[in-house]
């Protein structure tokens, strides 16, 4: 057993949280004395802001100078139940949005400000007077899960494992029964057309079309249970990456219905519903986008005959016995082609993976509180925060006492060791840096 103590950098402060802006071009970290912002592609920092107060979370409004700050750390002058709007150019507060309980997460855009509390979500207008537009009840959400695109908001439903999807323009709410266990991670594509979810089981990632709530894909991270740290789509939405406490970054093909997609082609696929030996039970929705947003087309994988709830209406699906096309990305070769095989053999796996560094320190225990300390981590998982900075490059950033930035690239040519059907692609680490905020 490795019993060596962590050697802390003498001039770097512990990072309390990591968050990206809307296009992942910048990331911000909360520190015990303020915050700092970095360029994602190079990890080059802007000057740190020592405001004499612990900041548990920083949310950026695009690439503007407006930030949302929530108090955190050992000593803070900022309340944990308020989002302080900060003008970084003027170096002053320009607004405050209050909540009844501690803020577990937040999202900021030019149209909406979303505060995530433990059991509800508040949606505010971004422009003054920042009116409270709606409040939605949720299941217990200690992770502060929420996604915001230009026209949609996604967050946990009132039932465990379900997702509420809100259209910003109309206010219409759809319910997606994504999993049977509690949600652990979720992400919207940049165009808002795709939603990916993972549960606390950590073996399956499901991808849904937001236009009609139909399930398009089931992607298998692995067989053993894992804590999913982060998931995210690349800008065009044809790759999906995920990180977990296995210290592994996986990249999947996500073919778009009707065209586009990665090396796996443009065929939407779901796993079949044969006997399951590992992972989560299938929620059973079709894998093709129906022509109407109020119906679900027949599944092209077995066992798709479940249902999806659209705007409160339970809509049944149907299934046939057509064997799924895995795009050549099954790990099991010819075994995946045999009829009646368990799902673990026929599911779609990542086409490439790589190790990322987690450091020898505790990871988030499920409530974004680092194990053994009283410091709240509310901006993201302690390790494995990921963000795509281009179609083929993704960065993985850790917080904590030994924070690291790593950049990975999906490269053509050569086959990743241990993978079949990866389309001649591999995942390579092309950058690494230890970063952090200077101690005051």
């Amino acid at each position: 057993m490795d019993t060596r103590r962590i050697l802390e950098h003498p001039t770097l402060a512990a990072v309390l949280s990591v968050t990206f802006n809307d296009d992942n071009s910048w990331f911000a970290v909360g520190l015990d004395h303020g915050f700092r912002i970095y360029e994602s592609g190079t990890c080059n920092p802007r000057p740190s802001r020592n405001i004499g107060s612990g900041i548990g979370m920083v949310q950026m409004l695009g690439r503007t100078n407006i930030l949302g700050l929530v108090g955190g750390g050992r000593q803070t002058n900022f309340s944990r139940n308020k989002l302080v709007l900060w003008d970084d150019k003027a170096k002053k507060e320009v607004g405050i949005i209050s909540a009844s309980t501690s803020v577990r997460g937040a999202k900021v855009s030019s149209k909406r400000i979303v505060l995530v509390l433990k059991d509800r979500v508040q949606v505010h207008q971004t422009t003054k007077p920042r009116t409270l537009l709606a409040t939605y009840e949720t299941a217990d959400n200690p992770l502060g899960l929420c996604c915001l695109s230009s026209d949609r908001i996604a967050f946990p439903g009132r039932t465990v494992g379900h997702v509420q999807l809100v259209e910003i323009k109309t206010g219409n709410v759809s319910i997606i029964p994504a999993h049977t266990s509690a949600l652990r991670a979720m992400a919207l594509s940049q165009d808002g057309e795709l939603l990916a979810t993972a549960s606390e089981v950590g073996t399956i990632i499901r991808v849904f079309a937001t236009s009609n709530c139909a399930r398009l894909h089931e992607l298998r991270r692995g067989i053993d249970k894992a804590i999913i740290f982060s998931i995210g789509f690349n800008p065009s939405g044809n790759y999906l990456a995920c990180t977990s406490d296995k210290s592994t970054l996986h990249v999947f093909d996500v073919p778009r219905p009707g065209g586009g997609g990665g090396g796996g082609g443009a065929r939407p696929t779901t796993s079949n519903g044969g006997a399951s030996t590992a992972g989560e039970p299938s929620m059973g929705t079709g894998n093709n986008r129906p022509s109407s947003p109020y119906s679900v087309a027949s599944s092209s994988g077995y066992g798709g005959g479940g249902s999806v709830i659209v705007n409160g209406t339970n809509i049944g699906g149907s299934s046939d016995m057509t064997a799924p096309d895995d795009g050549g990305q099954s790990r099991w070769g010819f075994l995946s082609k045999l009829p009646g095989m368990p799902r673990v053999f026929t599911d779609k796996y990542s086409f490439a993976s790589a190790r990322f560094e987690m450091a020898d320190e505790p990871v988030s225990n499920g409530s974004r509180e680092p194990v053994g300390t009283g410091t709240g981590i509310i901006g993201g998982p302690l390790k494995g925060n990921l963000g795509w900075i281009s179609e083929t490059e993704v960065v993985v950033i850790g917080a904590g006492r030994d924070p690291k930035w790593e950049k990975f690239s999906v490269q053509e040519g050569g086959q990743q060791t241990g993978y079949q059907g990866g389309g001649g692609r591999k995942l390579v680490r092309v950058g690494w840096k230890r970063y952090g905020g200077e101690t005051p």
Side-chain angles (χ1 to χ4, degrees), residues 85 97 109-114 123-134:
L85 299 179
I97 299 178
S109 75
S110 59
K111 296 179 181 178
R112 297 290 184 265
I113 295 175
V114 184
V123 181
H124 296 258
Q125 182 176 299
T126 299
T127 56
K128 291 181 179 181
R130 303 188 179 93
T131 307
L132 175 63
L133 301 175

Side-chain angles (χ1 to χ4, degrees), residues 229-257:
F229 289 153
S230 184
I231 57 179
F233 293 95
N234 70 340
S236 63
N238 58 13
Y239 287 159
L240 177 74
C242 82
T243 58
S244 73
D245 65 344
K246 303 296 184 182
S247 194
T248 306
L249 167 68
H250 289 272
V251 179
F252 301 84
D253 273 319
V254 185
R256 291 276 192 143

Side-chain angles (χ1 to χ4, degrees), residues 116 161 199 201 279 297 345:
V116 186
S199 78
V201 177
F345 290 97

Side-chain angles (χ1 to χ4, degrees), residues 12-89:
L12 298 183
V15 171
L16 303 181
S17 66
V18 177
T19 54
F20 291 93
N21 68 343
D22 56 355
D23 64 359
N24 300 325
S25 57
W26 297 88
F27 71 93
V29 301
L31 306 168
D32 269 328
H33 60 276
F35 62 88
R36 195 164 196 182
I37 296 174
Y38 295 80
E39 198 275 319
S40 297
T42 61
C43 201
N44 290 333
R46 290 180 179 177
S48 62
R49 290 285 182 257
N50 184 351
I51 58 178
S53 177
I55 299 299
M57 180 179 63
V58 185
Q59 283 291 339
M60 292 172 278
L61 176 53
R63 302 189 186 191
T64 71
N65 54 299
I66 302 300
L67 309 171
L69 307 178
V70 179
R74 291 187 293 266
Q75 294 182 335
T76 181
N77 298 324
F78 285 60
S79 173
R80 289 179 169 86
N81 66 343
K82 294 179 180 179
L83 181 74
V84 175
L85 299 179
W86 177 272
D87 186 331
D88 199 41
K89 184 177 181 180

Side-chain angles (χ1 to χ4, degrees), residues 153-220:
I153 311 170
F155 47 86
R158 298 174 63 180
T159 301
V160 171
H162 288 197
V163 176
Q164 295 186 66
L165 192 63
V166 179
E167 292 185 18
I168 292 177
K169 185 176 181 179
T170 65
N172 289 341
V173 180
S174 301
I175 307 297
I176 300 176
H179 301 269
T180 56
S181 52
L183 297 170
R184 179 72 201 192
M186 61 195 317
L188 283 167
S189 58
Q190 285 194 11
D191 61 8
E193 292 298 312
L194 299 176
L195 170 70
T197 63
S199 78
E200 61 185 7
V201 177
T203 55
I204 294 292
I205 299 170
R206 294 191 168 107
V207 179
F208 300 88
T210 57
S211 61
N212 50 38
C213 302
R215 192 184 74 208
L216 302 178
H217 306 283
E218 277 195 356
L219 310 173
R220 180 171 287 276

